[in-house]
Amino acid sequence: MDNIQKIFESQKELNEKLVPGLSKELETPEGRLKWIMNYHRAMEQESAELLDSVDWKWWKHSNKKIDYQNLKVEIADILFFTVSIAIAAGFNHKDIVDTYFKKLKLNHERADNGYKTGEYQKVDLDGNEDNRSI
C-alpha cells in the first residue's frame, strides 16, 4: 500500500470514529455537501493557525521566529481536512493523485506559455476553460 492510499484509509477510519455513521450520511447529496462544508471550514481554521507560526504582519516589525514545529503540525492538520473533503466528495486516493498530476502538467504548460506575463489565456475562443480538460 502506498502512503497516499494509507493516508486516505486512515483518515476515513478516523472520521468514522469521530462521527459514527458518517459513511451512511455521505451517501446522500445533502450529507456530502454538509461535510464538505464542515471540513472546509475546519481547514480554513487550520490555515489561520498556520499563520500564527510565522511573522505574517508585514505592517508590524517583530523579531518573531518561525515556529517550524507548529508549522509542521498545522500543515498536517490541513492535510487531514483536505483528505476528508476528498472522501466526503466521494473521491479516493487515485482520483486525487491522477488529478494532481494532470493539473501539474497543465500548470507547467501555463508557465511555459506566458502565464506569468499574462500572455497565456485560460479560456479558449469557444469559452472553454483549460481546467475542463482535466
Side-chain angles (χ1 to χ4, degrees):
M1 177 184 324
D2 65 3
N3 286 335
I4 191 79
Q5 181 180 0
K6 186 174 181 180
I7 287 170
F8 267 71
E9 290 177 5
S10 299
Q11 189 62 46
K12 189 172 185 177
E13 180 182 328
L14 176 62
N15 290 350
E16 189 69 32
K17 181 185 282 188
L18 294 172
V19 183
L22 177 64
S23 58
K24 186 76 173 155
E25 195 172 346
L26 293 177
E27 292 176 5
T28 68
E30 299 82 13
R32 286 186 186 277
L33 177 60
K34 171 186 168 183
W35 284 100
I36 289 169
M37 291 173 62
N38 285 346
Y39 291 136
H40 186 268
R41 280 190 295 270
M43 185 177 64
E44 286 180 323
Q45 180 58 40
E46 296 301 339
S47 182
E49 291 174 16
L50 179 144
L51 286 178
D52 291 337
S53 301
V54 299
D55 186 14
W56 61 272
K57 295 179 182 177
W58 67 90
W59 65 89
K60 176 182 170 186
H61 176 72
S62 79
N63 293 322
K64 181 178 178 180
K65 298 207 179 348
I66 296 174
D67 183 348
Y68 287 101
Q69 179 57 34
N70 191 61
L71 189 63
K72 184 170 44 173
V73 170
E74 299 307 339
I75 291 169
D77 285 342
I78 291 167
L79 180 59
F80 277 113
F81 292 114
T82 301
V83 172
S84 293
I85 290 169
I87 292 168
F91 302 134
N92 62 38
H93 68 284
K94 290 180 183 177
D95 297 323
I96 300 304
V97 169
D98 289 347
T99 303
Y100 172 87
F101 283 109
K102 287 176 183 175
K103 181 65 184 226
L104 178 66
K105 180 180 177 189
L106 176 58
N107 285 343
H108 277 287
E109 288 173 13
R110 288 174 171 177
D112 293 342
N113 292 292
Y115 194 70
K116 187 174 181 178
T117 62
E119 296 170 49
Y120 181 86
Q121 297 297 314
K122 289 173 39 174
V123 179
D124 67 18
L125 296 175
D126 295 325
N128 299 312
E129 188 172 338
D130 60 1
N131 271 332
R132 300 306 298 170
S133 67
I134 296 176

